[in-house]
Amino acid sequence: MTSGPFPANTPQNNIKPVPGEYEARIVDVETIQDVRCGQHIADIYKIHYDIEEGDFKGFVVKDNGVFRYKEKDGFMYEPKRNWGYARFCELLRLPKGSKTTPPPAVNKNKVNGYIVRIDLSYKTFVNELGTQVSYPIAKLIKLLSEVPF
């Protein structure tokens, strides 16, 4: 569940935050499980960030997706493919696994409420109807503070 007056990545009242860095609070973690990536399988975490400052306070933006590759029968597993997930875990001070063991899943109850710095940008593409589509995405830059309890 997201907070703020603007749901994640929706064009409410044509609000378009300016690209740049923002202080934000993690308010949700959306998990897409068992996504096939060639011969590999992964869970994808889309973190929802509620902007906490400036003219766009209350705007919720999603991360483009953090992939956690995992071991599963019938699929290849290469621990080095989890470099992005390991970096994400390192930034949030979460366990990140090792060279021989897969990283644990994100526990959204643990990270909800964290105050972070994000870099907001836009993903733009042309859809199958020939219309240009653009929506905001966020990338975690650093942890500012953990949940205060």
Side-chain angles (χ1 to χ4, degrees), residues 29 31 54 121 148:
V29 179
T31 305
S121 61

Side-chain angles (χ1 to χ4, degrees), residues 11 16 122-136:
K16 289 229 178 226
Y122 283 81
K123 184 171 188 170
T124 303
F125 63 94
V126 176
N127 69 13
E128 62 277 353
L129 301 175
T131 305
Q132 182 171 318
V133 177
S134 180
Y135 60 89

Side-chain angles (χ1 to χ4, degrees), residues 12-74:
Q12 294 289 333
N13 302 325
N14 292 323
I15 301 285
K16 289 229 178 226
V18 176
E21 292 186 12
Y22 294 91
E23 183 175 306
R25 178 182 305 272
I26 296 176
V27 293
D28 198 10
V29 179
E30 178 183 338
T31 305
I32 305 165
Q33 295 185 324
D34 296 337
V35 176
R36 290 177 180 239
C37 306
Q39 297 177 348
H40 302 85
I41 195 160
D43 291 340
I44 303 172
Y45 300 99
K46 294 198 175 205
I47 314 302
H48 295 217
Y49 304 99
D50 188 348
I51 295 176
E52 296 270 299
E53 63 180 338
D55 294 339
F56 306 107
K57 185 175 183 171
F59 188 90
V60 179
V61 62
K62 289 183 195 178
D63 191 287
N64 203 32
V66 179
F67 286 67
R68 181 180 70 95
Y69 293 92
K70 56 189 186 176
E71 291 183 281
K72 193 166 186 178
D73 287 342

Side-chain angles (χ1 to χ4, degrees), residues 23-26 91-93 111-117 142-148:
E23 183 175 306
R25 178 182 305 272
I26 296 176
L91 286 170
L92 292 181
R93 298 183 190 139
V111 299
N112 276 357
Y114 278 24
I115 304 297
V116 297
R117 170 104 7 227
K142 71 178 182 177
L143 175 66
L144 299 177
S145 68
E146 296 179 25
V147 181

